[in-house]
Amino acid sequence: MIREIVVYPDKRLKLISQEVKDFDGGLCDLLDDMYDTMIARNGVGLAAIQVGVDLRVLIINIPLEDEDGENYGEERNPNDQPKDNTLEMINPIVTHKEGHEKFQEGCLSIPGVYEDIERAKYVKVDYYDRKGNKQTLENSSFLAIAIQHEIDHLDGKVFIEKLSYIKRKKFEKEWKRKQKEGLI
Ligand code: CO
């Protein structure tokens, strides 16, 4: 089921999401709905708070042929990714990060905005899958950027907070104008 996306500057995007304790049917429903919502909106990643649920849950639709792609969050063809290719992370914790990398990022909660953001190039993450099994993943490409973007959502942060003061001011002005004009 497709759920409504929480759009900036909705206060819920500032919430610190809670750890998942019950790996039950409710969690599976949430993950399936998040998948449907992400695909319907041509997204490549989604955190639970973006559908209004403050749980530490995120999904990423891993690009197959675009592993070294330049952009994160760009619109893509919803039919080119099988569901099996979706990474689900519950209660993720970054245990190691290294290096720096700049990628252009976007976000379903801030539609139409793309900005270069610097993050760690390499991350190692501990997390649980939907069955409650502990997993570890290491990555130093597109996926590493995606994971950091989505984990930020779980900590109440959105990517535009990483912009310089001047760029952020410009963004806020533009965003208010778009809201006034009913474009968002
Ligand atoms: Co986002």
Side-chain angles (χ1 to χ4, degrees):
M1 191 183 77
I2 296 167
R3 300 198 192 184
E4 198 177 321
I5 299 252
V6 174
V7 174
Y8 183 85
D10 192 302
K11 284 194 173 66
R12 285 173 289 177
L13 292 172
K14 285 187 171 293
L15 289 174
I16 310 274
S17 291
Q18 306 295 307
E19 272 198 16
V20 170
K21 297 216 164 66
D22 301 317
F23 290 79
D24 57 11
L27 176 65
C28 291
D29 288 345
L30 172 64
L31 284 162
D32 291 345
D33 286 358
M34 283 172 66
Y35 175 83
D36 292 343
T37 307
M38 179 180 72
I39 293 301
R41 298 291 297 272
N42 298 343
V44 292
L46 195 70
I49 195 60
Q50 291 182 276
V51 293
V53 178
D54 62 338
L55 287 173
R56 302 191 79 80
V57 173
L58 65 87
I59 61 169
I60 294 166
N61 202 12
I62 310 160
L64 288 172
E65 66 276 68
D66 196 26
E67 259 290 292
D68 301 312
E70 300 276 300
N71 306 322
Y72 176 57
E74 266 203 341
E75 287 192 3
R76 57 212 323 268
N77 181 348
N79 300 317
D80 70 359
Q81 294 298 326
K83 191 169 186 175
D84 293 343
N85 202 39
T86 297
L87 175 68
E88 300 175 339
M89 289 186 153
I90 326 289
N91 302 340
I93 291 173
V94 175
T95 57
H96 193 71
K97 57 166 95 174
E98 233 175 84
H100 301 280
E101 180 96 291
K102 231 177 204 177
F103 257 78
Q104 193 180 68
E105 298 186 19
C107 182
L108 288 179
S109 291
I110 313 174
V113 176
Y114 300 96
E115 293 285 354
D116 283 337
I117 302 293
E118 190 173 302
R119 297 190 186 271
K121 179 169 173 52
Y122 163 91
V123 289
K124 189 172 182 182
V125 188
D126 287 344
Y127 63 100
Y128 293 86
D129 62 22
R130 67 161 71 196
K131 291 174 184 156
N133 298 315
K134 199 168 182 185
Q135 310 281 352
T136 301
L137 183 148
E138 287 179 273
N139 193 271
S140 57
S141 66
F142 173 85
L143 182 57
I145 301 296
I147 290 169
Q148 292 172 81
H149 176 114
E150 301 307 337
I151 288 181
D152 266 3
H153 277 299
L154 308 185
D155 292 325
K157 290 182 250 169
V158 288
F159 78 102
I160 45 134
E161 288 171 49
K162 288 177 136 353
L163 292 174
S164 68
Y165 177 75
I166 289 173
K167 278 193 171 172
R168 176 72 187 270
K169 260 187 115 169
K170 198 175 150 215
F171 159 78
E172 293 293 348
K173 210 174 143 189
E174 269 291 287
W175 195 253
K176 277 196 186 102
R177 183 184 63 77
K178 281 189 193 172
Q179 279 180 313
K180 246 186 212 160
E181 292 174 5
L183 298 171
I184 295 150

